[in-house]
Amino acid sequence: MDRIDKILVAQNFGSRKEVHKLIKSKAVTVDGECVTKVDMKVDTAVNVITVAGQVVEFKEHLYIMMNKPQGYVCATEDKVSKTVLELLPPNLQRKGLFPAGRLDKDTEGLLIITDDGDFAHRMLAPKKHVSKRYYVETDKEITEDTIKAFEKGIIFRDGTKCLPAKLEILENNRGIVEICEGKFHQIKKMFNVCRLNVTFLKRISIGNLNLDSNLTIGQCRELTKIEKNAIFLVK
């Protein structure tokens, strides 16, 4: 049970003040009865809520797939740069949303935005072993020695050791990297240890969830239940 005004704010029907106006204008009903009190308690699992005649589909959490462009930071707010939340269309804007994991400002690709902290932790914690795959381009040829170094576990110059990672060479200076952790600038630093500079980086999958090829740069959409579960499927 929760307050009707709190429920409608959470479902993106406006600020609390705007929701109160909707209720006062008799635009909100519960089980066909007009709501007159903003603090009316409602059970979203049982009661049917409508706003202006349309049934409210209650979603406890949102799970959004974005094809992140370069030039945006993975943060809820930033005083200098544009954030990925600014790319969300009005129908997907909601209080409490945050990027689940970070992509560097100049990195593109698959990003999950949600308001479910437990889900994000499960997806990002190294102990959960959810792999992340990236397409990478470097300034010089990727060699078998680089593959072996990644398999062994790269050690940064400050002594930080990365977990073993997979590296597949596609052609000369192009490859696919698979890691199950997300240290700051990790992939760039890993290649840098091997005396290679990353010139382009794009995340293409998380677990068994691939970036939707129909999403152009900067676009986003809600995940389906199947896609959400695919993140945690063991390959």
Side-chain angles (χ1 to χ4, degrees):
M1 301 285 284
D2 213 340
R3 289 172 53 127
I4 186 66
D5 58 350
K6 185 177 178 182
I7 291 170
L8 293 180
V9 169
Q11 298 305 300
N12 200 33
F13 280 93
S15 64
R16 180 159 292 192
K17 184 177 180 180
E18 290 168 334
V19 165
H20 287 182
K21 285 183 178 180
L22 283 173
I23 292 171
K24 288 178 181 179
S25 67
K26 299 183 179 180
V28 181
T29 69
V30 174
D31 295 336
E33 296 294 323
C34 195
V35 176
T36 57
K37 295 183 179 179
V38 298
D39 61 350
M40 176 183 179
K41 292 295 183 68
V42 177
D43 185 345
T44 55
V46 176
N47 302 123
V48 177
I49 305 169
T50 68
V51 176
Q54 294 189 340
V55 176
V56 176
E57 277 188 56
F58 177 77
K59 296 175 182 176
E60 184 177 3
H61 296 294
L62 276 181
Y63 306 91
I64 301 165
M65 174 194 292
M66 175 179 286
N67 188 354
K68 178 193 172 294
Q70 295 182 11
Y72 287 79
V73 296
C74 290
T76 54
E77 57 182 37
D78 192 281
K79 294 181 179 179
V80 178
S81 302
K82 296 174 289 186
T83 73
V84 291
L85 295 188
E86 295 177 48
L87 294 168
L88 295 175
N91 65 308
L92 291 179
Q93 292 177 7
R94 180 169 171 171
K95 268 188 172 182
L97 288 174
F98 61 91
R102 293 178 179 269
L103 290 177
D104 298 339
K105 186 176 181 179
D106 59 353
T107 299
E108 299 180 3
L110 176 58
L111 178 68
I112 304 299
I113 295 174
T114 186
D115 54 358
D116 186 343
D118 290 338
F119 167 85
H121 174 75
R122 186 182 170 202
M123 184 178 76
L124 299 171
K127 291 182 179 179
K128 300 299 182 181
H129 302 291
V130 176
S131 63
K132 289 85 179 175
R133 297 175 72 242
Y134 298 78
Y135 167 77
V136 62
E137 295 178 1
T138 59
D139 63 341
K140 290 180 287 187
E141 183 177 355
I142 303 170
T143 66
E144 291 294 326
D145 287 340
T146 311
I147 292 177
K148 292 176 182 177
F150 274 44
E151 288 176 346
K152 186 178 179 181
I154 295 289
I155 300 176
F156 296 154
R157 291 181 176 84
D158 64 1
T160 300
K161 184 171 182 179
C162 300
L163 294 173
K166 295 179 182 179
L167 172 59
E168 174 191 353
I169 301 173
L170 296 178
E171 182 184 359
N172 297 324
N173 68 328
R174 299 186 299 112
I176 300 293
V177 180
E178 184 175 325
I179 60 175
C180 60
E181 53 186 344
K183 292 180 171 62
F184 184 66
H185 292 318
Q186 180 173 341
I187 291 178
K188 293 176 182 177
K189 288 181 178 179
M190 288 169 68
F191 276 100
N192 193 250
V193 169
C194 299
R195 301 188 178 183
L196 294 167
N197 294 314
V198 173
T199 57
F200 180 78
L201 189 62
K202 178 177 183 177
R203 184 156 62 196
I204 56 177
S205 70
I206 300 175
N208 275 328
L209 174 67
N210 296 320
L211 176 63
D212 186 345
S213 60
N214 292 318
L215 280 183
T216 59
I217 289 289
Q219 285 190 327
C220 58
R221 65 166 175 80
E222 280 191 73
L223 288 178
T224 66
K225 188 174 182 179
I226 291 175
E227 288 173 329
K228 177 189 164 190
N229 293 335
I231 291 173
F232 305 104
L233 291 177
V234 178
K235 292 184 179 180

